[in-house]
Structure formats: structure tokens, C-alpha cells
Amino acid sequence: MAHPPFAVTVDLVVLTVRADELCVLLVRRGEEPFRGRDALPGGFVRPDEDLATAAARELAEETGLAVGHLEQLASYGDPDRDPRQRVVTVAHLALVPDQPVPTAGTDAAEARWVPVTQARGLAFDHDRVLADGVERARAKLEYTALGTAFCDGEFTVAQLRRVYEVVWGRALDPRNFHRKVTGTPGLLEPTGETTTRDGGRPAQLFRRGAAEQLHPPLLRADT
Amino acid sequence: MAHPPFAVTVDLVVLTVRADELCVLLVRRGEEPFRGRDALPGGFVRPDEDLATAAARELAEETGLAVGHLEQLASYGDPDRDPRQRVVTVAHLALVPDQPVPTAGTDAAEARWVPVTQARGLAFDHDRVLADGVERARAKLEYTALGTAFCDGEFTVAQLRRVYEVVWGRALDPRNFHRKVTGTPGLLEPTGETTTRDGGRPAQLFRRGAAEQLHPPLLRADT
DNA sequence: GCAAAAGTGTTAGCTGTACACCCATGA
DNA sequence: TCATGGGTGTACAGCTAACACTTTTGC
């Protein structure tokens, strides 16, 4: 049993919705290979930690962001994906509420939000990892309650709808969307509070409910 | 950059439908650790091969089975999942038609089909990997054409329906199922042939079509 | 003819879609 | 009172579920 030497890393596709765009958190690489290029945040798995633990640790270290949802995405292990050595990376997908990227008091040199439409030419095979992460997020919004992972503690139905519209790049009927999400038991918990804004009727505020699944699903396309 | 030494393996959840049961391919372990226990087939990734290539190679080596579908499932990397050393495994899910397990002219000592309901106490964390694989298969049958991956080249609608019933453990209405699958464009290609059996009207034979997705989905539960 | 399995027709009910309409606020 | 966005009512289309019914074979 000769076991070739592998390094194992975790990479993070951290998504949020801000300024009506789906954005991903990228860091500028300060070293070779791919120096100066953008990359997904990530790092080596430590000898004593689980993959999920490593992902959560990297997310905290490199970003300090409050996490709405974190799950394993997929693994990537092309023999030449890292020119230095054989590296297998276990990519994870994180969905977080819109929040300014912390003032890099951390590992990450110049971590920042970039619209996914403009995130091209990333280091390693991160273009593909990002594409897979975005597709996973889009698909999971259909049949799970994960849309709320993009929202803050208290939010309106319209804010949640904006999330879906931005992630899917498709307009949704506000009336039907409202009925759907408020009619799904356990999805949203009313706080009793309402917002005050300029113009328009105040909206009720909700919190995330206990429901994880969305049944029947909310489909993104029909035509 | 101190990179702790990792070994990387691929493990395979190979599922089939036989004798009206969902079965998984297991091998008896001939060495420590877990000598004598059942395990999922798998092995180390070679220095020059991709993860998907390694999975396909192991499947061919250890089983020699004709493959209907092969996809990455998830990775497992608990620090103590292998008592010998730190091992991260990239599990893959394979769906294959019902076929006798080849007369171990291969690596596998005593590879054999075991109903998933009786596959307990597997080596390593394979109980969990198997459970994840079965759940993935069940979920994917809802919205993809993967049910046909369990069928031979030519099959009847009833055989396909049996697949769904066995995987989901739920009876389906034969009439509605027939309409659904024959009405989905690109799912099935009629061969023009029919079966002859004892008793009952002969059934049309079909081949897998080009369609990958099933839209709208075929849901397994409503109550 | 009878049993068995394939395949078709039909209907009731649910859900998604589209859109008219009313409600509550700020200016 | 008007603009703006929140929220409700309602009609239609499409799909699913349930099941009566016809077709085609072997015995």
C-alpha cells in the first residue's frame, strides 16, 4: 500500500445578495501560484479537524462573517489543479446575509464581494467550483427554505422575494410569492412588528421558521 | 505551509434493484482494520488520476459491472474514521442494472449484493455513506430520468415502475405512471418490440431516451 | 371464456399563474 | 389626494390522483 502524498484543503463559495446582485466573496492571492489573481477563500485541513470544522474555521478566520448556512458542495482533485503538488479540495457552500466584509483583521488580503457575473478567471479551478456552487444555491432555493439564509434576523416578504429574484435572475409575482411563503407552515415566524419606510404600506417583519423543506417546491422556470 | 499527510480514497455506493429489493454491493474485508466486516468497495486514488477516473477504475476493477450512472456523492474526513492514518474518502454513487456480481476474477474478495435494509455495521463510517447514497438516489429519482439507469438496455414501463416502487418503498398507480413516463418527451424511446410473457398483454419495449431531467417532477410522498 | 397484465378515458381536486382590487402609509 | 408598495380575492389552466374501462395475450 503505497499512498501517494496528498494535501487536502477546503475552499469556500460564500454567497450573498447585495445591491440586487448575487455576490461571491473573493480574496486576492498574494503568493504564487496565481499571484494577483482572485480566488475563493480556503486553506489546508488540520490534522485533528473534520472537514466541516475546517470549513467553518476558514470561514470565520478569513471573513468573520455571520453564517446563514454552510454545507459541503463537492470535491475537486484533478492531478494538475495545483501546480505545486497534488491537492484535493473539498468545496463548501456558505449562504450569508448581506453584510460588509470585515475590515481584514484576518488572514484574507483584500477579501471583497464580487457579483458572480463578473467573477471570471479565478485561480486554480475556482471558476468551475463557483459555477457549481451557484447552481447548487439556485437549485436548493426551489425545494428548501434556504432563501432565508440570505436574510437578516428580521426581514419582510419583499426582501425575501428580492433574494429569490436575484438568485434566479427572474421576476416573481409579489402577490403569489407572498401567499406561497406565508402559507407554508413553519417557514416564517411573524414578529408582530412592521417596517416604516417612505411611501407604501408598512410590511410585516418575519423571522426564519423551523421548516427546512419547501413542499411543494417553488419552481424557478416553466416556459 | 506544513501540509499534514493525507491519504485520499474513493468509495463506491453501488446500487441496483433485484428481487424487488434495493441492494448495495458490499465486499468482505480481508485485512485489518475491520477484518471480516462488510464494507463499500473502494481504494486509493493514484497520483496521476482524477477523482472521477479513480471511481470508474475501482468500479471496473472490483466489480466489472456495466454502469448505468456514476456521480460524486460527498466526501468524508473525520480525523479518526480510519485508525491507521488520516484518510479522506470521496464517495461516489453508482446505479447499475440488475446483474449477477462477476465471479470475483478481480480484487474484490466476496463482492455480493445485500439489501440495503440489511446492510448494517459496515466498516469505517460506511453506514453513514450508504445512508447518504440511498437518500441521494431516492431524491434524484424524483426530478431526473435516473430510474432508467437501473434498467437493462430494453425494458418495459412496468419494469421501470418496479424500480421506482422498490427504491421509494411505495406503490405507484400503474396507469398514471405509464402516462407520465411515456408522456415525457425524450425520456423513453420505443423499440417497436414487445415482450411475451405468460398471461397478460405483451408490453412495449423501450430504451433510455436523451432526456436527463424530469419536469415536472414525479414526487414520492404527499401525505 | 377467464385471468392477468398493458394501456386509455374521464373526472374531481389541488396548485400555480395572472391579474383585478383593496389597504396603509408618507408627501 | 396621490403615489407607493403591502396584501387579498378570484378565475383559469395544468397537473395529479383515483378508478372505470378496453385491449391483448396464455391457459
Side-chain angles (χ1 to χ4, degrees), chain A:
Chain A
M1 281 207 309
H3 310 153
F6 283 83
V8 176
T9 60
V10 288
D11 284 327
L12 289 158
V13 178
V14 187
L15 300 179
T16 199
V17 172
R18 51 187 291 145
D20 280 343
E21 284 202 280
L22 181 63
C23 296
V24 59
L25 190 75
L26 297 180
V27 297
R28 183 84 61 178
R29 283 188 61 81
E31 341 176 316
E32 294 296 342
F34 301 104
R35 166 179 245 140
R37 295 270 284 280
D38 284 328
L40 300 173
F44 290 94
V45 176
R46 295 183 180 163
D48 60 343
E49 72 184 353
D50 184 13
L51 300 175
T53 308
R57 175 182 55 73
E58 285 290 341
L59 186 55
E61 278 181 14
E62 297 217 27
T63 72
L65 296 173
V67 183
H69 174 79
L70 179 61
E71 70 177 39
Q72 195 186 108
L73 177 58
S75 295
Y76 302 82
D78 268 30
D80 51 2
R81 63 178 295 279
D82 189 319
R84 295 165 297 180
Q85 64 175 315
R86 186 71 197 266
V87 177
V88 170
T89 192
V90 184
H92 289 249
L93 175 66
L95 309 183
V96 307
D98 180 16
Q99 49 195 320
V101 56
T103 51
T106 56
D107 286 11
E110 290 187 56
R112 68 198 200 289
W113 293 115
V114 176
V116 294
T117 53
Q118 293 166 35
R120 294 284 154 82
L122 303 184
F124 306 105
D125 50 5
H126 287 183
D127 277 342
R128 189 180 150 212
V129 179
L130 173 58
D132 290 349
V134 169
E135 177 49 32
R136 170 81 66 93
R138 286 184 174 140
K140 287 203 95 168
L141 285 201
E142 290 194 338
Y143 60 94
T144 69
L146 276 187
T148 57
F150 286 112
C151 295
D152 276 318
E154 299 199 346
F155 52 90
T156 67
V157 172
Q159 288 170 338
L160 181 60
R161 176 166 50 82
R162 228 73 88 182
V163 164
Y164 277 81
E165 292 182 332
V166 168
V167 174
W168 286 344
R170 181 200 165 201
L172 297 172
D173 186 297
R175 289 78 59 104
N176 295 333
F177 184 86
H178 187 278
R179 228 192 320 262
K180 176 81 177 181
V181 296
T182 54
T184 300
L187 179 60
L188 300 179
E189 267 183 28
T191 64
E193 306 290 309
T194 56
T195 44
T196 308
R197 291 159 304 92
D198 52 341
R201 171 174 168 177
Q204 286 181 272
L205 283 170
F206 295 89
R207 253 189 297 273
R208 262 197 275 287
E212 293 284 329
Q213 300 299 310
L214 205 53
H215 201 78
L218 182 59
L219 300 177
R220 52 183 146 157
D222 264 300
T223 34

Side-chain angles (χ1 to χ4, degrees), chain B residues 15 53 71 88 111 125 170 178 191 197 199-200:
Chain B
L15 299 179
T53 308
E71 71 176 41
V88 170
D125 50 5
R170 182 200 166 200
H178 187 278
T191 65
R197 292 158 305 90

